Amino acid sequence: MTESTSTTHSTDTILSLKDIQKTFGGIHALSGVSFDLREGEVHALVGENGAGKSTLIKTITGAYVPDGGSITVGGGEYEMLTPNQARQLGIGVVYQEFNLLPDMPVAENIFLTTPPMGRWGLIDTKKRAQQAYKLLERLGAHKHINPYALVKDLTVGEQQIVEIAKALAMDAHILIMDEPSAVLPSRDMDRLYKVVRALRDEGHGIIYISHRLNEIFELADRVTVLKDGQTVATKLVAKTDEDDLVRMMVGRELTDMYPPVSTIEPGEVLLDVRDLCIENTVFDINFQVRAGEVVGLAGLGGSGRTTIARALVGLADIISGEIAYFGQPARMTAASAARAGVVLIPEDRKAFGLILDQSNRFNITLPNLPQLERWKMILKRDEWDPVIRAIDDLGVRPPNPELDSGSLSGGNQQKVVLAKWIMARPKVIIFDEPTRGIDVGAKSEIYTRMREISQQGVGIIMASSDLPEVLGMSDRILVLHEGRMAGELSREEASEEAIMKLAAVAHENGASA
Amino acid sequence: MTSTAITKKRFNLFSGFRPSPRFVRGVDLAGQWAAPIMILVVMVIAAIVAPAFFNPINLKTVAIQVAVLGVVTIGQTLVLLNRSIDMSVSAVLALGAVIVVQTEGGSSIVSSLVLAIAIAALIGLANGLLVAKRHVPPFVATFGMLVFVGGARLAYTKGQASGTVPDFLRTISIKPIGFIPAALLVWLIVNAIVIFTLRYTRLGRWVYAVGGNPGAARYAGINVDWVLISAHIACSVLAILGGLLLSGYIGYVDLRMGADYNMNSIAAAVVGGTTFTGGRGNMFGTAAGVILLIMLLNLVVVLGLPIHWQYAMQGAVLVLATALQGFRQFLLSR
Amino acid sequence: MAMTYEDTQKSAVPRWQRGVTFARNNAAILLIYLFIFLLIGTGSFFSDRFLTASNLINIMRQSIVLGLLAIGQTAVLLTGGMDISQEMVARLVGLIVATLFAATGSNPMMILPLLLLGTTIGVALGLVNGLLITRTHAVPFIITFGVSFLLRGINLAISTTPIRGIPDAYLTIYDSKIGIVPVNVIVMALVWLIAWFFTTRSRLGRNIYAVGGSERIAKLSAIRVNRTLVWAYVLSSVFAALAGLFLLARTGVGDPNAAQGMTFQAIVAAAVGGISLYGGRGSIFGTLGGVLLLTLLSNFFNLMQINIFYQQLLLGAIVLVAVSAYKSKDLGAL
C-alpha cells in the first residue's frame, strides 16, 4: 500500500480553518483549532472521544456557528457557514448514521436534492438511474448495487457507498467521512478503502475521521491529531508511526481522573451470561460479573456493546442463550430486572434516562416509589429527605430537588440518573457510555462514585468507547468485535493498543463472520 | 478582510428565530393560564352583553353541562397525558346511555349499569391494546372504534332509540343538592379521586412519566403499555359516566346524542394546558378549560345567536388552543 | 461503457428473487387487489346483477367522490400528517357555489367562474391548514379537526336546508356520456393517471415522500420541508373542493349534509391500500385499490340489501381488523 500513499498530488489548499473557537455553556469544545485540506489528499482526523472532532466537522458543514476564527474555502473567507452555503461550496458529509430514506430506490436517494428533469417537468427516472449507475461505477460498486434497489434491502457497506455517491451527486469535492469504518463489517472495509482512494485520485479532498489507527496508515496522506479541543499536530503519515499518534492523542495524567483500584476480592457471581445471541448483532456471548468488580465492555461502534447492555435488563430481543441473576434464570423484562436490582444507566440520557419536563425529585423517586409509600400514598415530605440526601451525596448542582431535570448540564443530568438508581440499592449496575458529553470535573466525580459503589459489593459493567475510561476504571476488560467476544484482558494486560488490537483486527480469533 | 456570510433575507416568521427567555416564559405561562384568564374575561363580557347569563336557571344549566363535559374531559386528559388520544368517547357515551335506557324495562338498574361499565371497559381495553401493543396511531385506532361502536349502537337500536330514562339517572344528574345539581357533585368527586391519584400514588407518577418520556419510563422499570391501557380504560369508563349524566339531564336518548363530545373534550383539555406530546397538563387546567368552553357555548344560546355558531366557536377555540400549545411545546423543547 | 446498468442488474439478481422483493415491498397492494377480485367473485356468485357492465360502470362513477378525497388525503398522509377538514371543505364549496348559482338566477354563464372560485376556496383553505400546522408546530389532525368544526359552523350559517337553483348545464358534469361510459369516469381515470405521475415522477411528489420518510433527512438534502408540507395540505383541500363541485352536480342541490363521513372513508381507503399513516411509504395505486374496495363493498351491501346500520358496523369492523394488522413503523401498513 505504500505506493498509493506516497503518490504525489497537487498541493493546492482547498479548505483552511484558522483558530476556530467554540464553547458550549462555558465548556470549550474547540479552543483554537487550525486545519487545512489539500486537493487530492486523504487527511485523517484523529483524537479521543470529546477531543472536538465532531464539533469541528459540524462547524465546517454549517451546523454550528463558531465563536471565533475563520474558514477559507472556495476562494472566500467566512466567519461562519450556513448548511446551504457549505453545500454550495462543495462540502459533503458521509455521516455515521446514514441519511438515506430506506423506502426509496438507490438512484432516487442519490439524486434526492437535484433529480435530473425530463419532459413536462417530470423527473427523468431513466436518466436518474443511468447517472446513479455512472456514479456507482466511479466508486467501483456498479456490480453490487442496483440503482433501482430499495435502500433498506442493501447491506450497511452498500448503503455507505450510496451515501458517498449522494455527496458526489451534490458536486462535493470536499468530502468529510465521519468514522466510516466504524459501522462496517471487516469484509466491506477493503471496498471502502478502494472508493476513498479512487476519490482522492480524482482530486477530491477527503477528511477521514477514524479511531482505527491501522487504517490511517493504509489510507491517509496526512493526519491531524486533536486533543481537548486543540490541534496537537499535523503530520505526514509517512513520517509518523502508531506509537507517535497514540502518544499525541492520549498523554493525559490518568491518575488525576480515576479513583484508586479495587481493594476487595470479587465476591459471588451476580450475573451470568451464557451463549447470548441477539438477532444479527450479537453472537455467543459468555461472561460473568461478580460482586465488587468493575467489568469494562470495550469494542468499536457497532460491536454490540449497547445491545448487550440492553439485553441484560430485558430491553432487547434475545434469540437464544441464558441470563441468570444471582444464580437464578431471569425473567427478561425491564420491570422484573429493575425489581431484581439489575439496572441500566443508558447512553442516551435525553431519550431513556430522564423525564426532562419533570423535577429532579420526580426523576429520582420514579423507580423507588414502593419504598417511599405510606398507606399506598406518596407524600412529598416522605420523598424530601431521601431526595435531598441523594442530591447532596452525588453533588448535583444546582442542588434543587424541584428544578426540571432538563435544565441541568449533561454531567449533572447523569448524576441525577445515577442518584435515582443508587437509591434503588441495585446489585448490578450496567453503565453504557457513562461519561459521554460530560465535562471533566463531573466525569471524575462519577468515576469516584462508581468505584465507591463497587467497593460496597455492587457488580458494575461499564460499556464504553472511551478507552482511557475503560482502562482507568475496569478491573478486567471484555473486548467485543462485530458482536462476538474477541478476548478478555486483565487490568495488568490491558492497554489501549491491546484493546484496539482485539477490537479492530480480531480476525485470527475466529471472529470473521 | 473577513467577510461575514450574508444570509438571504426572506419573509419567514421563524427563520433564524431566537426567542428571549422572557418570551418563552411568557408563552409557557400563557399556555398554562389561558383558560382561567379567559374565564374571567368571558365573565366580564357576559356581564356587559348578556346579563341573562347569570340567571340562576341558566347557571344551573351551565353547571350540569360543565359536569357532563368535565367527567368526559377528565378521561380525555388522562389519555392525552399518555401521548394518546381517544376519538371514541362520543360513541361510548351514547352507547352507555342507550344500554341503560333500553335494558331498564327488563332488569334492575344495577345490572344495566354494570353491563354498561363492563362494555366501556372492554372498549377502552381494545383501544389501549391497539395503541400500546399494535402501535396503531391512536387517532386511527380510536376513530375506527368510533365508527364501530357507532355502528353497533345503530344496529342494536335499529336506528331508533326507545325507552325511558330511569329515575336513578335523573337523580344523579339534576336533583339539587343544596344549591348545586347532583351532576356537579359527581364531577367534583371524580375530580377529587383523579387528582388524588395523579398526585399521591404510584400510578399518577407513572402517567406523567410515560407521557413525559416513554423511553425513560420503560428504562425505569415501568410497564409502559399497562399504564397506557389503564388510561384508555379509565377514559372509556368516564365517557360512559358522562353519557349517564347527560341522558339523565336531557331526559331522553336520541341518535345524535353526544356527537360533539370528542371535539369538546379535546378542546377543553388543550385549552386547559394539556399538550399533545404528553406529560404536561393537570386536572385543574382541564376543569378551567371545561368551564370556559361551556360558558362560550352557553353564551351563544343566551345571546340568541344561531346555534351553529357553537360549532364555529368550538373550532376556533380548538385551533387557537392547539396552536398555542403546539408553539409552547416547540419553544420549551428547543 | 461496455455493459449498461440494465445488463449488470439482470445478471446480478435472479428474476425470482426480484419477484420476491417486489412482493415483499408491495404486500399491501397485492393483498388489496386480491381482496377486490375475491369480492367481485363473491358478488357475482350472490347476485347476477353484480357483474354487469352497467353495474361496474356505476361502481366506477360511485367511486369518484371517494377517489378525489383519497388522492388529496394520500398527499397529506404521505407527509405523516392527516387532513380531517376535507368533508367540510367539500361541503363549503358546494354550498357557496350553489348559493351563488341561486343568487345569479341559475345562469349557465356562471359555471366556469364558479368552478374556478370553488377551486380557489380549496387552495385558500389548504393554505390555512398548511400554514397553521407549519408555523405553530401543532399536531396536524387536531388543527384540521378544529378547522373542520369552524367550517361546519360556517356551512350551517350559509344554509341548513338544501339550496336549489343549479343550472341544468352544470348537471352534465355528472350526466354526460360517451356511449355508455360517463365522461366523468374517463376524466377520473385521467386524474388517477396524473396522480400516479405526480407521486412517482414529480419533484414535489417525491419531496412529499422524502419529508414523510424523515424530515431530518429531507432537510439535510436541501428540501424545503415547510413548503412541501403546505403544498400537501393545499392539494388535499383542492381535491376536497373538486369533490364538493362534483357532488353538487350529482345531487343537483347544495346539500348541507354533503360528504358526510367521507373524510374517514378516504383515510381508510388510503390506509388499507398501504399508505403508511406514519408517512413516507405507500403508492397511489394502493389508494386506488382501497377506494375500489370500499366502493365495491358498499355496492355489494346495497345489492344484498344489508341494512345501512349493519353497513356502518361492518365498516368499523373492517377498519379495526385492518389497523390491528398494522405493525410498527418499521414494517409499514399490513
Side-chain angles (χ1 to χ4, degrees):
Chain A
M1 296 300 151
T2 41
E3 43 154 38
S4 56
T5 47
S6 61
T7 325
T8 47
H9 299 290
S10 130
T11 52
D12 294 341
T13 300
I14 49 177
L15 170 75
S16 153
L17 308 177
K18 273 201 202 76
D19 201 28
I20 299 287
Q21 316 265 350
K22 178 77 190 170
T23 50
F24 292 107
I27 300 164
H28 287 273
L30 297 177
S31 39
V33 172
S34 296
F35 177 85
D36 68 302
L37 179 69
R38 297 178 190 150
E39 210 176 294
E41 77 163 345
V42 177
H43 193 149
L45 193 58
V46 298
E48 288 181 67
N49 282 325
K53 293 178 310 240
S54 53
T55 313
L56 187 67
I57 295 313
K58 286 185 171 153
T59 310
I60 302 174
T61 57
Y64 286 162
V65 179
D67 300 331
S70 69
I71 305 170
T72 310
V73 59
E77 197 177 337
Y78 303 85
E79 281 180 0
M80 60 159 287
L81 294 173
T82 65
N84 272 324
Q85 267 179 326
R87 193 163 34 239
Q88 278 155 18
L89 290 164
I91 298 170
V93 197
V94 178
Y95 290 100
Q96 216 176 66
E97 79 272 24
F98 293 131
N99 292 298
L100 300 174
L101 294 159
D103 293 298
M104 279 192 179
V106 168
E108 177 155 24
N109 265 294
I110 293 176
F111 291 100
L112 194 59
T113 313
T114 50
M117 303 303 282
R119 271 186 303 176
W120 301 330
L122 293 178
I123 296 168
D124 189 337
T125 46
K126 184 153 189 191
K127 199 157 135 204
R128 185 171 69 188
Q130 279 165 342
Q131 289 183 2
Y133 179 80
K134 274 184 205 152
L135 273 175
L136 292 170
E137 195 180 32
R138 253 170 82 187
L139 300 174
H142 55 295
K143 293 213 176 69
H144 315 285
I145 305 173
N146 182 340
Y148 290 113
L150 297 186
V151 164
K152 67 178 173 193
D153 294 329
L154 303 183
T155 66
V156 176
E158 289 166 345
Q159 288 184 20
Q160 191 165 49
I161 286 169
V162 174
E163 184 89 14
I164 296 171
K166 183 178 173 183
L168 292 181
M170 289 199 240
D171 281 331
H173 64 277
I174 297 170
L175 262 181
I176 301 167
M177 306 182 79
D178 189 2
E179 291 199 47
S181 53
V183 290
L184 284 189
S186 53
R187 61 179 181 280
D188 288 348
M189 223 82 92
D190 287 336
R191 194 156 73 194
L192 173 69
Y193 295 163
K194 241 194 228 155
V195 167
V196 173
R197 285 195 198 102
L199 290 172
R200 178 193 58 193
D201 294 340
E202 283 181 18
H204 294 273
I206 294 153
I207 302 174
Y208 194 97
I209 299 170
S210 179
H211 268 122
R212 306 185 187 191
L213 296 182
N214 55 350
E215 72 179 6
I216 289 165
F217 289 94
E218 188 160 338
L219 203 57
D221 302 298
R222 290 194 296 161
V223 55
T224 292
V225 182
L226 289 184
K227 193 175 94 182
D228 300 333
Q230 284 175 320
T231 321
V232 180
T234 299
K235 292 197 167 181
L236 283 174
V237 167
K239 293 193 176 158
T240 182
D241 56 39
E242 250 180 68
D243 294 340
D244 197 25
L245 286 185
V246 169
R247 206 174 48 245
M248 286 191 286
M249 277 163 64
V250 288
R252 189 188 287 132
E253 315 84 281
L254 295 181
T255 45
D256 286 357
M257 286 269 284
Y258 302 100
V261 296
S262 171
T263 53
I264 60 166
E265 277 297 302
E268 52 173 327
V269 175
L270 298 179
L271 198 65
D272 190 357
V273 179
R274 262 182 250 133
D275 304 323
L276 179 69
C277 289
I278 300 161
E279 191 165 21
N280 294 333
T281 47
V282 169
F283 314 93
D284 302 324
I285 297 292
N286 286 287
F287 66 91
Q288 292 184 332
V289 178
R290 291 171 180 277
E293 67 173 351
V294 178
V295 179
L297 203 55
L300 299 169
S303 61
R305 286 188 321 253
T306 299
T307 317
I308 292 174
R310 288 171 51 94
L312 295 180
V313 295
L315 287 164
D317 290 326
I318 295 169
I319 296 255
S320 64
E322 217 172 85
I323 296 173
Y325 297 160
F326 331 118
Q328 304 289 324
R331 256 190 70 217
M332 297 315 297
T333 68
S336 63
R339 266 199 303 277
V342 180
V343 304
L344 171 60
I345 297 188
E347 171 183 4
D348 189 342
R349 286 182 292 279
K350 285 185 177 8
F352 303 115
L354 292 170
I355 289 127
L356 299 172
D357 293 347
Q358 297 288 351
S359 67
N360 292 331
R361 172 176 57 84
F362 184 101
N363 275 298
I364 291 174
T365 56
L366 189 60
N368 305 309
L369 297 172
Q371 50 170 296
L372 297 169
E373 275 175 345
R374 185 197 304 223
W375 304 102
K376 288 277 164 200
M377 269 161 54
I378 300 148
L379 300 176
K380 212 166 170 177
R381 57 182 171 153
D382 293 333
E383 291 179 86
W384 198 258
D385 282 344
V387 169
I388 292 274
R389 228 180 300 128
I391 283 179
D392 281 351
D393 199 28
L394 278 143
V396 177
R397 278 176 298 270
N400 180 353
E402 292 304 311
L403 212 59
D404 280 1
S405 298
S407 64
L408 302 181
S409 72
N412 283 300
Q413 285 184 359
Q414 185 72 328
K415 288 183 201 164
V416 173
V417 179
L418 201 48
K420 81 171 176 184
W421 286 121
I422 289 177
M423 192 192 269
R425 305 199 179 286
K427 300 197 178 65
V428 178
I429 305 183
I430 301 148
F431 288 88
D432 190 11
E433 301 287 357
T435 60
R436 174 162 286 184
I438 287 176
D439 61 288
V440 181
K443 262 189 185 182
S444 119
E445 286 177 77
I446 285 170
Y447 294 141
T448 310
R449 292 298 307 166
M450 209 189 279
R451 180 59 75 194
E452 273 175 36
I453 300 163
S454 86
Q455 293 298 84
Q456 290 159 13
V458 174
I460 289 182
I461 301 175
M462 189 180 74
S464 173
S465 61
D466 190 84
L467 287 186
E469 161 177 298
V470 172
L471 289 168
M473 287 305 300
S474 311
D475 297 322
R476 57 194 174 91
I477 299 167
L478 307 171
V479 187
L480 295 168
H481 175 80
E482 289 176 21
R484 290 169 197 275
M485 194 64 81
E488 180 175 337
L489 299 166
S490 68
R491 194 177 177 94
E492 291 70 35
E493 298 166 317
S495 67
E496 290 205 27
E497 290 79 5
I499 295 175
M500 271 315 207
K501 208 175 227 165
L502 284 171
V505 281
H507 308 283
E508 66 270 26
N509 290 21
S512 51
Chain B
M1 174 70 209
T2 306
S3 67
T4 310
I6 302 160
T7 36
K8 210 169 52 176
K9 287 258 179 235
R10 70 191 156 96
F11 179 73
N12 185 339
L13 197 51
F14 298 121
S15 73
F17 177 61
R18 305 226 186 291
S20 69
R22 261 174 73 189
F23 180 77
V24 175
R25 184 97 189 102
V27 173
D28 186 22
L29 285 176
Q32 281 174 36
W33 291 96
I37 295 168
M38 283 303 293
I39 288 176
L40 292 178
V41 172
V42 171
M43 277 188 164
V44 172
I45 293 173
I48 299 164
V49 302
F53 176 82
F54 295 100
N55 175 324
I57 295 171
N58 188 54
L59 283 182
K60 193 183 155 201
T61 310
V62 169
I64 294 175
Q65 286 174 347
V66 163
V68 176
L69 181 61
V71 168
V72 177
T73 309
I74 288 169
Q76 188 71 262
T77 308
L78 285 174
V79 176
L80 285 171
L81 281 176
N82 277 294
R83 292 195 179 185
S84 188
I85 197 167
D86 191 346
M87 299 296 289
S88 67
V89 285
S90 64
V92 174
L93 178 151
L95 181 71
V98 165
I99 290 171
V100 171
V101 169
Q102 299 236 326
T103 57
E104 208 268 333
S107 57
S108 75
I109 182 74
V110 177
S111 66
S112 46
L113 281 180
V114 169
L115 179 67
I117 289 171
I119 288 177
L122 263 179
I123 294 170
L125 178 68
N127 280 335
L129 286 173
L130 284 172
V131 174
K133 296 291 185 193
R134 303 296 317 176
H135 304 286
V136 181
F139 172 81
V140 178
T142 54
F143 210 117
M145 191 58 76
L146 174 77
V147 175
F148 181 75
V149 173
R153 178 172 53 112
L154 285 176
Y156 178 61
T157 60
K158 303 283 183 291
Q160 59 218 347
S162 61
T164 50
V165 175
D167 288 343
F168 174 73
L169 294 188
R170 304 288 288 173
T171 309
I172 63 162
S173 184
I174 56 175
K175 183 171 195 283
I177 297 168
F179 298 109
I180 58 170
L184 200 65
L185 199 67
V186 172
W187 176 54
L188 290 173
I189 293 169
V190 173
N191 248 324
I193 294 171
V194 174
I195 288 171
F196 176 84
T197 310
L198 285 180
R199 272 220 172 165
Y200 297 112
T201 70
R202 256 189 250 187
L203 185 61
R205 295 295 177 92
W206 289 349
V207 166
Y208 281 99
V210 170
N213 186 344
R218 197 176 295 263
Y219 270 73
I222 296 170
N223 189 337
V224 173
D225 293 350
W226 183 81
V227 174
L228 183 54
I229 292 168
S230 316
H232 268 290
I233 292 175
C235 180
S236 290
V237 170
L238 286 170
I240 284 271
L241 183 55
L244 300 181
L245 292 177
L246 181 63
S247 60
Y249 163 54
I250 57 178
Y252 58 89
V253 174
D254 72 3
L255 286 179
R256 295 219 26 88
M257 183 179 131
D260 295 340
Y261 276 83
N262 284 334
M263 174 70 188
N264 287 344
S265 63
I266 294 167
V270 177
V271 171
T274 306
T275 58
F276 290 104
T277 42
R280 240 187 255 276
N282 61 59
M283 292 303 155
F284 293 106
T286 290
V290 168
I291 293 169
L292 175 65
L293 191 64
I294 294 294
M295 277 171 66
L296 287 170
L297 296 179
N298 182 265
L299 272 180
V300 172
V301 178
V302 173
L303 287 170
L305 295 173
I307 201 76
H308 44 255
W309 287 116
Q310 285 194 349
Y311 292 126
M313 179 87 82
Q314 290 161 330
V317 169
L318 183 59
V319 170
L320 288 175
T322 310
L324 176 65
Q325 301 298 357
F327 189 51
R328 170 178 166 225
Q329 183 66 35
F330 167 70
L331 288 177
L332 290 175
S333 62
R334 280 164 69 89
Chain C
M1 211 157 57
M3 263 189 340
T4 67
Y5 64 95
E6 282 95 350
D7 295 336
T8 44
Q9 294 328 313
K10 271 170 199 153
S11 60
V13 188
R15 183 176 289 272
W16 66 269
Q17 205 175 331
R18 274 184 291 165
V20 169
T21 312
F22 178 84
R24 187 167 54 88
N25 289 331
N26 297 283
I29 296 176
L30 294 176
L31 209 62
I32 196 157
Y33 283 97
L34 181 72
F35 271 128
I36 289 174
F37 282 115
L38 284 177
L39 196 63
I40 291 174
T42 331
S44 53
F45 180 74
F46 278 109
S47 162
D48 48 3
R49 279 177 303 155
F50 190 76
L51 202 61
T52 58
S54 68
N55 191 43
L56 288 182
I57 288 170
N58 194 24
I59 287 170
M60 280 186 247
R61 191 155 65 166
Q62 281 173 354
S63 78
I64 290 178
V65 173
L66 183 58
L68 288 169
L69 292 175
I71 290 173
Q73 192 68 250
T74 298
V76 171
L77 290 178
L78 283 173
T79 66
M82 199 175 271
D83 185 356
I84 309 297
S85 66
Q86 275 192 321
E87 67 187 66
M88 291 303 166
V89 173
R91 202 177 288 180
L92 178 72
V93 168
L95 287 171
I96 289 179
V97 170
T99 311
L100 291 177
F101 271 132
T104 54
S106 309
N107 186 348
M109 293 299 287
M110 290 298 288
I111 290 178
L112 207 59
L114 286 182
L115 282 177
L116 279 175
L117 177 75
T119 318
T120 314
I121 294 170
V123 173
L125 292 172
L127 279 174
V128 169
N129 279 334
L131 290 174
L132 274 172
I133 287 160
T134 52
R135 292 303 166 212
T136 65
H137 306 267
V139 185
F141 81 82
I142 296 292
I143 287 281
T144 53
F145 190 39
V147 167
S148 82
F149 259 68
L150 249 171
L151 296 180
R152 186 171 170 192
I154 295 172
N155 287 342
L156 290 171
I158 293 172
S159 176
T160 51
T161 52
I163 303 170
R164 299 183 187 286
I166 314 295
D168 288 342
Y170 188 85
L171 305 185
T172 55
I173 291 178
Y174 187 69
D175 288 337
S176 57
K177 287 182 180 178
I178 298 173
I180 58 160
V181 186
V183 174
N184 49 39
V185 168
I186 298 168
V187 173
M188 193 59 204
L190 283 175
V191 170
W192 279 108
L193 199 66
I194 293 168
W196 166 258
F197 275 110
F198 174 78
T199 51
T200 55
R201 299 280 298 277
S202 78
R203 278 188 83 163
L204 177 59
R206 297 316 292 176
N207 287 353
I208 285 175
Y209 274 88
V211 168
S214 161
E215 280 198 22
R216 185 180 60 86
I217 295 175
K219 251 182 207 142
L220 280 171
S221 305
I223 290 169
R224 292 188 176 165
V225 172
N226 280 355
R227 188 173 292 195
T228 309
L229 284 172
V230 171
W231 266 111
Y233 286 92
V234 167
L235 282 172
S236 170
S237 265
V238 166
F239 274 97
L242 293 177
L245 292 169
F246 180 79
L247 269 172
L248 192 61
R250 187 166 97 185
T251 52
V253 288
D255 180 2
N257 290 317
Q260 184 88 47
M262 293 301 286
T263 308
F264 184 63
Q265 286 200 31
I267 296 169
V268 170
V272 298
I275 304 289
S276 164
L277 295 170
Y278 294 102
R281 194 169 22 210
S283 155
I284 198 80
F285 198 55
T287 304
L288 173 61
V291 168
L292 291 178
L293 184 68
L294 289 194
T295 316
L296 272 169
L297 265 178
S298 127
N299 182 279
F300 179 64
F301 287 156
N302 286 336
L303 280 182
M304 298 296 295
Q305 294 174 328
I306 293 174
N307 188 319
I308 183 98
F309 305 129
Y310 292 109
Q311 286 191 25
Q312 202 196 339
L313 187 67
L314 239 107
L315 178 67
I318 289 170
V319 172
L320 287 179
V321 170
V323 295
S324 33
Y326 225 86
K327 295 258 177 71
S328 70
K329 183 167 185 168
D330 321 307
L331 298 170
L334 292 174

